[in-house]
Amino acid sequence: MKKIILYALCICFITACNDETGEYAFRNPKLSTEKRVNDLLKRLTLEEKVGQMMNSTPAIERLGIPPYDWWNEALHGVARAGRATVFPQAIGMAATFDDEALLKTFSMVSDEARAKYHRYQANKEYHIYKGLSFWTPNINIFRDPRWGRGMETYGEDPYLTGRMGVAVVKGLQGDDPKYFKSHACGKHYAVHSGPEWNRHEYDARVSKRDLWTTYLPAFEDLVREGNVQEIMCAYNRYEGKPCCGSDKLLIDVLRNRWNYKAIILTDCGAIDDFWVKGRHQTHKDAAAASADAVRHGTDLECGGSYKALLEAVKSGQIKESELDVSLRRLLRGRFELGMFDPDEMVPYSKIPYSVVESKEHVAQALEMARKSIVMLKNSNNTLPLSKDIKKIAVVGPNAADSVMLWANYNGFPSKTVTILDGIKNKLPNAEIIYELGCNHTDDQILINLGNHVSASGKQGFDVEFFNNVKLEGTPVYKGHTASIDYEGGGGTHFAQNVPETDFSGRFIGELTSPITGDIILTGTFDDGYRLYVDDQQVYDYWRETSTRTHNHVLKATKGKKYKIKVEYYQGKGGATLHFSVGMKEELRTDKVIARVKNADVILFVGGISPRLEGEEMNITIDGFKGGDRTHVEIPAVQRKYVQALKATGKPVIYILCTGSAIALNWENDNLDAILNAWYGGQEAGTAVADVLFGDYNPAGRLPVTFYKSVEQLPDFLDYGMKGRTYRYMTEKPLYPFGYGLSYTTFEYRNAKLLKTKIGKSETAVISFDIANTGKVDGDEVAQIYIKNPNDPEGPIKALKAFKRVNVKAGASKQVSIELPAKSFWSFDDAKESMEVRAGKYQILYGGSSDDSSLQSIELSIE
């Protein structure tokens, strides 16, 4: 009997282990990835398999596998995980029209990502925002300027979006033959670009032509050329089916036509939308929804509905073997990232932590900010300004705002140069007059009343923290804080002994009102927040989400005391909490004008803010709803203020900060110069000052059309492309796609085709000389558009190539650009495919999409 038991144990050991190493076979780097995946998969229980199909995967301790969270962000730098280099927002980097510079930028981003990841692993920190799977780039088409998340994209054009998206993917994923540096993720697939307020219930319907020629090309580029390893399906429905359960999008197009073999994952909570009341409600419950999503190839859920896969398997709604199909893709992804191999085998593990916000990376952030700036107007050569200027006035809501420059989905730099800082640094001997002037949307300023809050005989709040999210048990910290002001990182920076994640806190103070009137209690938080006044709960938002802001108006009586209690919890990452007590006071224009009217020049730094436009935001004020915009005009209070500044008779330069197109009609007609600086990242202030004072010649180009008003646009809910973007717009915009001014002038000369007739599968080659006819060195962005008369229902013209070229003053540079066969594609509605048709084509070349700036040359395809 003993021999039988011993024999059985030996067989068990041989089966479970790898003969060479004595460890599990999936741990053996000498085996093929498929063998390792198969070995690990067969060891998992059903419960463990389901756990590995959700973004926050639990540890499998019996196999020595630590937890892993697939959710990480790197939209314009490693995000939401403490210190990192913050590059300009994606829409700003699109304005560079420089995919080579973007590739360099994201190679730096992935360097920081790897350095941070390996430090986290060494410290056994496995929570959200600490992994190697980055849910970026956002390659949705910015079809309408009202969409609040458009700033996360690369603009309105499919070709530009595809080129920039591929650069991001290659920069993030690296070029090692064995290991991916990190994963990139193309999102949100597909036909997704607002509105934000109805994205969980909206059914997007478009023509086959618009689907294939506008909404899908960038995704196809990422799959076929970029080898992207993750695709995120969108919240909305497409033709009646949720995108994460779409036969057409996931099976027919992505898996079958494009032969995509890697991971499909959901947007966060998207499976809930299948069955939760008031959303899509296409499925009866979580089990049915989850089973259907997996069958359609959705491998990983961000959320909790996939827990119901256990029930779905047990009730026969899906087979365990069907889960295995997804598990193979997920496990292969982790093996190919090197997560089961020793660090010494993974070359990226050698990247030192010193790369995080290194001098080289900060320099690149500055370079990208410079390259992104678009000069929209420069009357009478107002710019560049002289550095000998004696007195300069800087006014406006974005002048001294550092957080605005970070945009959204951001990291946290150790230093940010605001636009005011940049100007002061550039002119250390000049008199700089700074005035807020007005806020983004009103002419009132919030006066901080924090000195009227006290606890335990001191200004501020008594505070206690707990090592759980329920404010339960014995506090791990008790103390006092003068203010509630925490930004980025984990709980350890809140107070001593507070855990990095999964913690909660309570703040209690007493407000003695200095006024009779409205007092504003403002909380900005991520994840959960409750507010009590005199022990009455006045607000409760208690779930993991992105950062939100809440304002409560307290009708106060002067001298009366009010007990203020703030409760906060933080889940897996982020840890942001700000709370302020304030009152609004009207800003007086006459006082500001009196201070600035004697300045030599007035700079107004305005626009909008990521606190007004963004993802599903809790905001409804004039011009803004739920993160989207209801019109594209600059807020009325800013226009009124700029008009008052212009009335001084001094030159007024408008520095615009925005993530979307703004209708600057009055400003364009009346102001002396306009610069679009976007949300320029941590070095934006230096970049703006460099352009203002001539140390950098601007060459950014608009990746979106600037409309005169929403009257030039179809309804926001209409996803059809007719009348939208430069490709289909027949009216004259305020500023066209591809537009941007320079301190010098350029001419295109000697254009010719290598061959004037080519076959349908051949590549056309156009060359021309770009001459700098001015007195300043500068970059020109050569743009190539195709006008295709052989596809009469197609776009008026479409960008098919671009190249950013530096040309010295008085010099000329020859440029040669290839146009592969796909540049001349037409859409075949019957076949639902693209083809090259014989005929004559117009190749348009120049520095903007505007017809007046383009020249043409004819090509025949036989």
Side-chain angles (χ1 to χ4, degrees):
M1 185 66 182
K2 289 181 179 180
K3 289 182 178 179
I4 294 173
I5 293 173
L6 182 60
Y7 176 77
L9 288 172
C10 289
I11 292 296
C12 179
F13 180 81
I14 292 169
T15 303
C17 299
N18 168 38
D19 290 337
E20 293 185 21
T21 65
E23 294 184 347
Y24 295 116
F26 73 82
R27 293 283 184 190
N28 185 358
K30 295 181 180 179
L31 297 179
S32 70
T33 300
E34 291 309 308
K35 287 183 178 179
R36 298 175 76 184
V37 167
N38 289 337
D39 179 74
L40 177 53
L41 184 60
K42 73 183 180 183
R43 302 182 190 282
L44 301 181
T45 66
L46 175 60
E47 290 76 11
E48 289 168 340
K49 289 179 180 179
V50 170
Q52 297 297 304
M53 294 178 69
M54 291 179 283
N55 70 284
S56 185
T57 67
I60 307 175
E61 294 181 1
R62 64 186 184 84
L63 298 177
I65 298 174
Y68 181 69
D69 201 305
W70 289 83
W71 188 353
N72 210 341
E73 303 286 355
L75 180 62
H76 52 117
V78 178
R80 298 180 175 178
R83 181 182 169 213
T85 308
V86 177
F87 297 91
Q89 177 60 294
I91 194 69
M93 290 199 282
T96 69
F97 274 69
D98 192 337
D99 51 343
E100 293 179 0
L102 195 63
L103 173 61
K104 178 180 178 181
T105 297
F106 273 86
S107 295
M108 292 179 171
V109 172
S110 56
D111 279 351
E112 294 195 13
R114 267 289 176 175
K116 291 170 79 73
Y117 169 77
H118 288 286
R119 174 166 287 191
Y120 291 140
Q121 290 291 300
N123 294 334
K124 301 189 183 304
E125 297 177 30
Y126 305 120
H127 300 297
I128 191 172
Y129 309 135
K130 295 182 178 178
L132 286 174
S133 40
F134 292 93
W135 294 354
T136 198
N138 183 340
I139 54 169
N140 293 132
I141 298 301
F142 198 178
R143 66 182 175 91
D144 193 300
R146 288 167 285 197
W147 184 34
R149 294 189 73 181
M151 65 167 148
E152 301 172 23
T153 76
Y154 295 96
E156 69 184 38
D157 182 73
Y159 178 80
L160 177 63
T161 298
R163 299 323 309 151
M164 303 305 259
V166 168
V168 171
V169 170
K170 289 184 175 180
L172 286 176
Q173 295 189 168
D175 56 5
D176 186 80
K178 183 174 182 179
Y179 297 104
F180 285 104
K181 195 175 185 184
S182 67
H183 276 188
C185 175
K187 67 182 187 184
H188 310 81
Y189 183 75
V191 198
H192 178 87
S193 52
E196 283 298 298
W197 59 268
N198 70 352
R199 63 184 185 167
H200 301 286
E201 61 195 65
Y202 185 70
D203 185 9
R205 294 180 180 271
V206 297
S207 68
K208 292 178 182 179
R209 173 179 292 275
D210 286 343
L211 177 68
W212 284 99
T213 62
T214 295
Y215 294 109
L216 292 186
F219 286 99
E220 184 173 6
D221 288 346
L222 262 63
V223 170
R224 293 188 184 275
E225 183 180 349
N227 191 28
V228 68
Q229 290 300 294
E230 297 180 23
I231 293 288
M232 177 187 286
C233 44
Y235 285 119
N236 56 279
R237 278 172 286 157
Y238 168 69
E239 295 190 339
K241 292 190 175 183
C243 289
C244 292
S246 169
D247 304 78
K248 176 71 173 181
L249 295 176
L250 301 187
I251 298 175
D252 178 29
V253 177
L254 188 56
R255 294 293 191 197
N256 292 341
R257 293 201 189 198
W258 298 345
N259 197 33
Y260 179 69
K261 301 293 187 184
I263 295 164
I264 299 174
L265 59 102
T266 77
D267 208 335
C268 294
I271 303 302
D272 291 358
D273 293 347
F274 284 41
W275 60 276
V276 169
K277 185 176 180 180
R279 302 184 190 176
H280 298 316
Q281 287 185 255
T282 51
H283 296 71
K284 64 178 182 179
D285 55 27
S290 299
D292 197 36
V294 173
R295 279 211 178 93
H296 282 87
T298 303
D299 307 305
L300 182 76
E301 184 210 13
C302 179
S305 282
Y306 268 20
K307 293 176 183 177
L309 285 171
L310 283 171
E311 174 191 340
V313 172
K314 292 174 182 177
S315 63
Q317 296 180 65
I318 192 170
K319 297 178 182 177
E320 185 175 348
S321 59
E322 292 178 276
L323 305 190
D324 290 348
V325 175
S326 289
L327 263 297
R328 290 181 191 281
R329 288 191 280 256
L330 294 168
L331 295 176
R332 183 172 66 245
R334 293 183 67 179
F335 277 110
E336 290 175 346
L337 285 165
M339 292 182 178
F340 295 94
D341 292 349
D343 274 358
E344 55 268 23
M345 293 189 64
V346 183
Y348 300 122
S349 69
K350 299 176 178 64
I351 297 172
Y353 197 81
S354 57
V355 302
V356 177
E357 208 184 9
S358 63
K359 289 183 179 179
E360 293 78 9
H361 291 193
V362 173
Q364 183 67 4
L366 173 58
E367 182 67 6
M368 294 303 283
R370 287 169 172 158
K371 285 189 169 189
S372 73
I373 293 173
V374 183
M375 186 160 64
L376 298 174
K377 182 181 181 182
N378 190 22
S379 294
N380 301 316
N381 296 318
T382 299
L383 296 177
L385 298 172
S386 169
K387 292 178 187 174
D388 295 328
I389 199 165
K390 301 298 183 185
K391 185 186 251 187
I392 188 167
V394 183
V395 184
N398 283 330
D401 189 343
S402 61
V403 176
M404 171 275 302
L405 297 173
W406 302 346
N408 69 350
Y409 283 88
N410 58 282
F412 302 97
S414 59
K415 180 183 178 183
T416 302
V417 182
T418 68
I419 293 172
L420 178 62
D421 292 335
I423 294 165
K424 287 181 174 179
N425 295 339
K426 186 69 69 174
L427 300 178
N429 298 319
E431 180 183 354
I432 310 293
I433 304 168
Y434 165 66
E435 286 283 348
L436 175 65
C438 63
N439 289 313
H440 292 99
T441 59
D442 62 43
D443 58 358
Q444 294 182 319
I445 188 171
L446 194 66
I447 306 298
N448 194 307
L449 301 177
N451 59 329
H452 294 275
V453 179
S454 62
S456 301
K458 296 180 290 185
Q459 178 190 330
F461 298 83
D462 288 336
V463 58
E464 53 187 6
F465 287 106
F466 302 82
N467 64 358
N468 59 76
V469 298
K470 297 181 179 180
L471 298 148
E472 293 178 344
T474 302
V476 295
Y477 174 90
K478 295 185 73 171
H480 185 87
T481 181
S483 64
I484 305 175
D485 196 25
Y486 309 95
E487 180 65 60
T492 54
H493 81 290
F494 276 57
Q496 187 178 3
N497 298 325
V498 179
E500 185 77 7
T501 61
D502 299 299
F503 67 92
S504 53
R506 181 182 290 119
F507 303 79
I508 298 175
E510 185 177 72
L511 165 67
T512 303
S513 177
I515 63 167
T516 294
D518 293 347
I519 290 181
I520 314 298
L521 308 179
T522 301
T524 299
F525 57 93
D526 173 9
D527 293 320
Y529 169 84
R530 292 190 184 118
L531 175 63
Y532 301 80
V533 178
D534 289 337
D535 293 322
Q536 296 294 311
Q537 186 181 103
V538 296
Y539 185 74
D540 180 6
Y541 193 92
W542 205 247
R543 62 185 73 102
E544 289 193 30
T545 183
S546 56
T547 304
R548 285 178 171 255
T549 296
H550 172 259
N551 292 312
H552 174 73
V553 179
L554 171 63
K555 302 291 185 180
T557 301
K558 185 174 181 178
K560 186 175 179 180
K561 297 182 183 299
Y562 299 88
K563 180 182 177 182
I564 306 296
K565 179 168 68 174
V566 173
E567 293 181 344
Y568 170 78
Y569 98 79
Q570 178 58 44
K572 298 301 182 185
T576 292
L577 177 63
H578 302 283
F579 179 79
S580 65
V581 179
M583 67 177 188
K584 287 190 173 181
E585 181 178 282
E586 187 174 347
L587 290 160
R588 295 199 34 198
T589 307
D590 56 341
K591 288 186 177 181
V592 175
I593 296 300
R595 282 203 70 204
V596 305
K597 66 181 181 181
N598 293 321
D600 298 312
V601 65
I602 300 171
L603 307 180
F604 184 82
V605 190
I608 53 180
S609 163
R611 294 186 288 275
L612 294 171
E613 59 176 342
E615 182 178 4
E616 202 174 11
M617 300 170 71
N618 182 26
I619 184 171
T620 304
I621 56 177
D622 181 45
F624 303 91
K625 176 186 175 182
D628 297 318
R629 298 165 65 200
T630 56
H631 60 70
V632 294
E633 282 72 25
I634 201 74
V637 66
Q638 292 188 52
R639 177 156 294 157
K640 178 183 175 182
Y641 219 98
V642 172
Q643 290 171 342
L645 295 173
K646 182 62 179 175
T648 65
K650 298 296 183 178
V652 177
I653 298 165
Y654 200 116
I655 301 166
L656 178 70
C657 297
T658 181
S660 52
I662 304 285
L664 298 168
N665 298 291
W666 186 91
E667 291 78 5
N668 184 64
D669 290 342
N670 293 279
L671 299 187
D672 299 275
I674 304 173
L675 292 180
N676 185 359
W678 310 102
Y679 302 134
Q682 70 184 83
E683 287 294 308
T686 302
V688 168
D690 286 346
V691 170
L692 283 172
F693 295 96
D695 290 327
Y696 189 87
N697 188 354
R701 300 291 185 263
L702 293 179
V704 289
T705 299
F706 271 44
Y707 301 88
K708 294 178 180 178
S709 76
V710 293
E711 298 302 316
Q712 291 188 313
L713 285 161
D715 187 272
F716 190 12
L717 291 170
D718 180 3
Y719 267 74
M721 290 305 296
K722 183 178 179 180
R724 293 189 184 282
T725 76
Y726 82 93
R727 294 164 66 231
Y728 294 96
M729 184 181 182
T730 56
E731 298 182 53
K732 184 177 178 61
L734 177 63
Y735 305 119
F737 174 89
Y739 170 82
L741 301 176
S742 171
Y743 291 147
T744 189
T745 53
F746 298 96
E747 288 184 7
Y748 288 72
R749 301 169 178 169
N750 306 320
K752 59 184 178 181
L753 292 169
L754 183 63
K755 294 168 65 176
T756 58
K757 293 183 180 180
I758 61 172
K760 292 183 179 180
S761 61
E762 287 187 74
T763 294
V765 180
I766 182 173
S767 63
F768 43 77
D769 298 330
I770 298 178
N772 184 337
T773 55
K775 299 180 180 179
V776 182
D777 298 349
D779 288 359
E780 169 66 342
V781 178
Q783 301 164 45
I784 309 294
Y785 298 86
I786 302 295
K787 186 182 287 287
N788 184 357
N790 308 289
D791 189 9
E793 295 181 30
I796 298 166
K797 57 179 172 285
L799 182 72
K800 295 299 177 181
F802 59 86
K803 190 173 184 63
R804 185 162 175 148
V805 182
N806 183 265
V807 188
K808 301 292 184 183
S812 181
K813 184 170 288 187
Q814 187 179 62
V815 175
S816 180
I817 294 177
E818 293 186 350
L819 296 166
K822 66 183 294 186
S823 304
F824 305 96
W825 273 352
S826 297
F827 180 70
D828 187 309
D829 192 78
K831 296 178 183 177
E832 205 170 335
S833 63
M834 309 297 289
E835 64 179 19
V836 178
R837 295 173 183 167
K840 297 185 184 298
Y841 293 78
Q842 291 296 314
I843 300 176
L844 311 176
Y845 60 94
S848 164
S849 69
D850 183 33
D851 285 339
S852 65
S853 69
L854 292 170
Q855 301 177 58
S856 70
I857 191 167
E858 189 174 87
L859 173 73
S860 293
I861 297 182
E862 300 175 332

